[in-house]
Amino acid sequence: MIIDFRSDTVTVPSPEMKEFMFNAKVGDDVFGEDPTINELQLFSAAYFGKEDALFCSSGTQTNQIAINVHVRPGGEIICHEESHIYKYEGGGIAKNSGASVRLLPGDRGRLTAEIIAKWINPDDIHFPVTELVSLEDTANRGGGAVYDFEEIKKISALCKAHHLPLHLDGARLMNALAVNGISSKEYASQFDSISLCLSKGLGAPVGSLLIGTKDFIKKARRVRKVLGGGMRQAGFIAAGGLYALKNNVNRLKEDHENAKKLEESLLQCSWVKKILPVQTNIVVILIKNIEMRDEIISQLKSKGVLTVAFGEGAIRMVTHLNISRENILKTCEVLKNYIPSERF
Ligand SMILES: *Cc1c(COP(=O)(O)O)cnc(C)c1O
């Protein structure tokens, strides 16, 4: 048996989700005539207390569209140095929007109002014009770390004072909300635009949502078309997202409990130096002998446990809806009996 912890993107739709997708009513979404996409967009906008939403092909696309709408060429984006928008989107900030980036350090992928304030450029012709602040919650590189909502409020107030839009890369926003206990509307009220992945912990096969004001989404729809993201009868895939939002949010807590269980087990392992304290569904393991990383990954794989390299001396495991409690117990058993061996 293979237990796949590489990412929460590996989930496959359940029979119920497939049935719902199969029966979706569809139309031409470029004409705005796909009823399922329209329903998903209205449902998600209302869920977050925003005016409108746009269904897109991926989280990279929603982030890149948001950046393109908010920032002019030569303008500057403030984000964490390990943020997805910078590190994992193929240089899209430069390529799609011709924008400059101010990368800032911060605890486990999170920024503070204090550090952002220092880097909002003054009105001086030498400097790029700061035009956007982007946060990531949960922070992937930070091991699924969740922002303190009080800090988000401070950052939002700072942005308002400087007339700066605030974007959220909320690929795993639902995981954050399951932990911080803040209502979706109150949380979303702090941001001008939100990107939310349907194809991660929520378990839909494809798609992300971009959420914001009517005016913002109108502009975003144009950018999506330019990027080749105007899809036609995409209601079939949007239905997976609609099903996920209605059925798979409450169960995220199980993924978090499962990740906690893995953490406990991993902390007993002789080869583990440290685990980034688990808050959500991501477990980042720092290993003692950093040379052994790829060997450990391949040895665990041979025992049916798939993990992924996550930078120097680090391995990532992610729990999701295709990983049961039974899978977790089995994995803990594998970990308990596993001692890395060097192969010569
Ligand atoms: C997965 C992810 C995205 C979007 O990735 P896609 O593969 O394009 O859907 C964006 N931000 C974060 C933090 C992510 O983990």
Side-chain angles (χ1 to χ4, degrees), residues 58-60 63 84 89 136 140 169 171-172 197 200:
S58 71
T60 298
N63 281 331
H84 195 283
E89 297 186 7
E136 190 174 306
N140 176 32
D169 177 355
R172 297 188 180 84
C197 282
K200 297 220 163 128

Side-chain angles (χ1 to χ4, degrees), residues 298-309:
S298 95
Q299 288 171 17
L300 286 174
K301 184 178 176 187
S302 73
K303 295 173 193 311
V305 174
L306 299 190
T307 62
V308 72

Side-chain angles (χ1 to χ4, degrees), residues 48 50 167-168 170 173 188 191-196 209-212:
F48 288 101
K50 295 284 192 205
H167 174 70
L168 176 73
L173 170 56
F191 294 90
D192 296 286
S193 56
I194 295 177
S195 158
L196 171 77
L209 287 161
L210 186 57
I211 303 159

Side-chain angles (χ1 to χ4, degrees), residues 45-192:
Y47 190 94
F48 288 101
K50 295 284 192 205
E51 289 173 3
D52 208 353
L54 186 68
F55 179 65
C56 295
S57 63
S58 71
T60 298
Q61 193 175 59
T62 42
N63 281 331
Q64 290 299 317
I65 290 172
I67 288 165
N68 196 264
V69 173
H70 287 307
V71 183
R72 291 166 298 181
E76 187 156 276
I77 303 163
I78 291 178
C79 63
H80 191 276
E81 61 193 358
E82 299 217 274
S83 59
H84 195 283
I85 61 164
Y86 174 73
K87 201 173 165 102
Y88 294 121
E89 297 186 7
I93 291 174
K95 187 161 185 165
N96 299 324
S97 299
S100 164
V101 200
R102 170 58 64 185
L103 300 174
L104 299 179
D107 176 48
R108 297 185 61 189
R110 296 164 298 190
L111 296 177
T112 59
E114 194 186 350
I115 192 166
I116 294 169
K118 284 191 193 134
W119 292 101
I120 297 173
N121 287 334
D123 184 6
D124 175 321
I125 57 166
H126 293 88
F127 303 132
V129 181
T130 306
E131 293 186 343
L132 179 67
V133 174
S134 180
L135 308 181
E136 190 174 306
D137 198 11
T138 69
N140 176 32
R141 295 284 316 171
V146 179
Y147 265 92
D148 175 356
F149 189 56
E150 292 308 309
E151 194 62 49
I152 286 185
K153 286 201 268 189
K154 279 189 213 160
I155 294 170
S156 179
L158 173 73
C159 289
K160 280 206 176 67
H162 286 85
H163 306 290
L164 277 176
L166 180 60
H167 174 70
L168 176 73
D169 177 355
R172 297 188 180 84
L173 170 56
M174 291 306 185
N175 296 83
L177 294 180
V179 171
N180 65 20
I182 308 296
S183 83
S184 52
K185 292 192 179 97
E186 190 184 359
Y187 186 93
S189 71
Q190 305 300 313
F191 294 90
D192 296 286

